[in-house]
Amino acid sequence: MSATFVGMPAFPAAAHEAVADTTLRGNLRHATHTIRAKRAAAVAEVSDWAQLREAGRRIKDHTLRHLDRYLVQVEEAVTAAGGTVHWAADAEEANRIVTGLVKATGESEVVKVKSMATQEIGLNEALEAEGIRAYETDLAELIVQLGKDRPSHILVPAIHRNRAEIRDIFRSEMSQWGRPAPEGLTDAPAELAEAARLHLREKFLRAKVGISGANFVVAETGTLVVVESEGNGRMCLTLPETLISVVGIEKVVPTWRDLEVFLQTLPRSSTAERMNPYTSMWTGTRDEDGPSAFHLVLLDNGRTDTLADEVGRQALRCIRCSACLNVCPVYERTGGHAYGSVYPGPIGAILSPQLRGTASEIDASLPYASSLCGACYEVCPVAIDIPEVLVHLRERVAQGGEATRQGNKVVLKPARGHAAERAAMRAVRWAFSHPGALRGGQRLASRTRRLHPRTLPGPGRAWTGTRDLPPVPAEPFRDWWQRTHGG
């Protein structure tokens, strides 16, 4: 996975800074509570929501178990429909493929559909290094790009910005990227949307190359699916002469009938709509209709290693609805930037450390960026047990191991990190295995209890910063039992 965000401080340090930003917290609280309430109402309309959720889980699990077969089927179907399939093992290879395809057209600019996969691999930066300018066309992504910012939410990348901030960004930056903002632009939503529409229109009409991701790929026909609310994505998918789609290998679904399930659950879980205003589907190329050249880049970038982990692989079910972010008390207070990844929130806390590994400080800290309240699991439309995976990854980090694949098994490779915790657990294990030593230690602790501090020194201070150590009883339980029960 791209290291674009790696190098940030660990989550606790980044979160501490974010929590101190009262404007950020206000923006997040208002936005997440609004989306959360609307989603709950939309889901309540569906009497068989639990059955749809279970169906989505089973479809995803079945596909992941047979992913090798379905990926070959995708390649055959796309090729038969006039497209070209490329395989990318990592971010570097994917960027090399895409930049090569763009350069082969002779163009120096592209328009982009909102895509988590292209953000994951740092495609915009790779294109820029080759003299190619990429224009984001999703409204929220446009705000992030103009503001020289980073996305902070899966569905609403600019959720951390309020209307006044967006107005100021448009006024100061639009002219550097194309058509300037209208004179006297206010922060009224309609005016901001119109300014973006006018700014983007000339890019849609001029661009010869479009780049997208996909929400789903239907294996039986090689059809790609993008769902959106604005229609800008459809402009990118239909107007350019060349279309390049970068898609994670986990986005495959076997059949159209399977797709039906997700077209019911995704809109309600993400935008709280009964259906998306724009659902675009395309299969290869067709004469005089849409792009004349279509390229599908199938991206691994850590997904195969994740698939090999029997507990962690359920993260690959994710359909990027962002429902888990909107109910997470940690995300609501820290925002997405503290996670150091394009995948923030609860899903990012389990997905990023698996795609990137846990060698970096930020990735090793992400499994701990949760209160384990379970709200994320309750709202997930494909029933990803995020708390279970968080605990699983915490165990991996605490053991000091980074997961590596050997054949069909995932093993822990010895690594540095959490040495004090490992040493403490070994000491506890030894003590519990030696009753005499345990009894002696308990008696010593009771007799010296008046000398015990209320907080721990060194790294332990973080744990006792908001809580006191539990008091040691005046008498160990075993001694009390022997004294009162005589044996």
Side-chain angles (χ1 to χ4, degrees), residues 58-112:
R58 292 189 179 191
I59 291 168
K60 280 290 187 176
D61 282 349
H62 165 81
T63 308
L64 292 172
R65 283 196 302 270
H66 304 282
L67 191 56
D68 53 346
R69 172 162 58 89
Y70 287 121
L71 286 173
V72 172
Q73 188 177 4
V74 166
E75 181 179 37
E76 293 172 347
V78 170
T79 303
T84 304
V85 176
H86 309 262
W87 299 83
D90 53 28
E92 182 180 358
E93 186 173 11
N95 287 331
R96 185 169 63 249
I97 291 170
V98 176
T99 54
L101 292 172
V102 176
K103 291 170 71 174
T105 67
E107 296 296 318
S108 60
E109 61 181 21
V110 301
V111 289
K112 288 185 67 216

Side-chain angles (χ1 to χ4, degrees), residues 1 90 214 239 299 362 433 471 480:
M1 185 170 177
D90 53 28
L239 293 179
L299 176 68
I362 180 67
S433 302
W480 172 85

Side-chain angles (χ1 to χ4, degrees), residues 374-397:
C376 49
Y377 171 63
E378 295 298 326
V379 299
C380 178
V382 287
I384 301 172
D385 194 341
I386 293 178
E388 178 188 31
V389 183
L390 285 168
V391 173
H392 172 66
L393 293 176
R394 289 180 185 186
E395 180 182 6
R396 178 187 300 177
V397 173

